[in-house]
Amino acid sequence: MTLPLIGILRGITPAEAVAVGEAVLAAGITTLEVPLNSPEPLTSIRLLAEALGERARVGAGTVLTKAQVRDVHAAGGRLVVSPNCRPAVIAETRCLGMASWPGVVTPSEAFDALDAGASGLKLFPAVQVGLEGMQALRAVLPAGTRLYAVGGIGADNFAAWRAAGVDGAGLGSALYQPGQSAVQVGEQAHALVAAWNAAAAGGNP
């Protein structure tokens, strides 16, 4: 089963992208995001998409405009993640056949995103919204809506977030920080996956 985890490789460089991507994939995380404020992000996305092929879904984060969506698609990306909710960006993403995960905090943003065709919702920053805020939002979302927490979620609080009803998570600095080796990132990825699976015992798989 594909884990509901997005590996965020903010700051990755093209020279290390494939090795780090393979290490993360080996741990069981099959969705990888290269934020567009990383060095040469489109090159890293292209290299990852070519190397990992159908074994992983590779795409971009911090996508803010329709032009950036098209650039990601041209580089071979199949995923667009944003820190905000822009219906035009979502619609462009879906038009090109890619998965769209816009950032939301409020019910208004969440429903605007869903109306525009979002594949799922990125609760960001999750640490600001908190568990109770997430539960209040979850209560009004349509059944089947996928809600991932990003920002302040990790091994130490997976269980609480899962029990509260979140579907998945985006993993940033706990997974990868610039300068870390592929071996180190792989170890961190395995630890995060183990923690997520352990937390699943008290939540939905």
Side-chain angles (χ1 to χ4, degrees):
M1 175 182 175
T2 300
L3 290 172
L5 299 172
I6 299 175
I8 303 170
L9 306 180
R10 187 178 305 278
I12 197 85
T13 66
E16 62 186 337
V18 173
V20 169
E22 289 282 8
V24 173
L25 182 60
I29 298 173
T30 58
T31 303
L32 302 178
E33 165 197 334
V34 177
L36 291 184
N37 55 2
S38 302
E40 301 181 70
L42 296 173
T43 301
S44 291
I45 291 168
R46 177 179 57 78
L47 292 170
L48 283 166
E50 291 173 352
L52 303 184
E54 295 301 316
R55 294 182 293 149
R57 172 176 283 175
V58 176
T62 319
V63 180
L64 305 176
T65 69
K66 293 195 295 182
Q68 290 176 333
V69 170
R70 293 190 290 270
D71 288 342
V72 172
H73 182 262
R78 293 187 291 149
L79 169 76
V80 166
V81 183
S82 300
N84 57 352
C85 173
R86 290 290 181 267
V89 170
I90 298 167
E92 185 75 6
T93 301
R94 300 300 285 153
C95 182
L96 292 173
M98 296 186 290
S100 170
W101 287 81
V104 304
V105 169
T106 68
S108 292
E109 292 173 333
F111 281 100
D112 284 348
L114 293 174
D115 287 346
S119 308
L121 303 176
K122 167 186 169 179
L123 185 68
F124 178 78
V127 67
Q128 173 187 326
V129 179
L131 292 171
E132 292 184 357
M134 184 276 289
Q135 287 178 308
L137 177 61
R138 169 102 271 176
V140 300
L141 292 176
T145 300
R146 291 183 291 171
L147 183 65
Y148 281 26
V150 182
I153 184 169
D156 59 343
N157 58 14
F158 278 156
W161 281 94
R162 293 212 64 173
V166 80
D167 297 305
L171 306 173
S173 59
L175 173 68
Y176 170 81
Q177 295 184 46
Q180 291 181 334
S181 69
V183 171
Q184 183 176 356
V185 176
E187 292 172 349
Q188 290 162 181
H190 276 93
L192 287 163
V193 167
W196 178 264
N197 288 334
N204 296 321

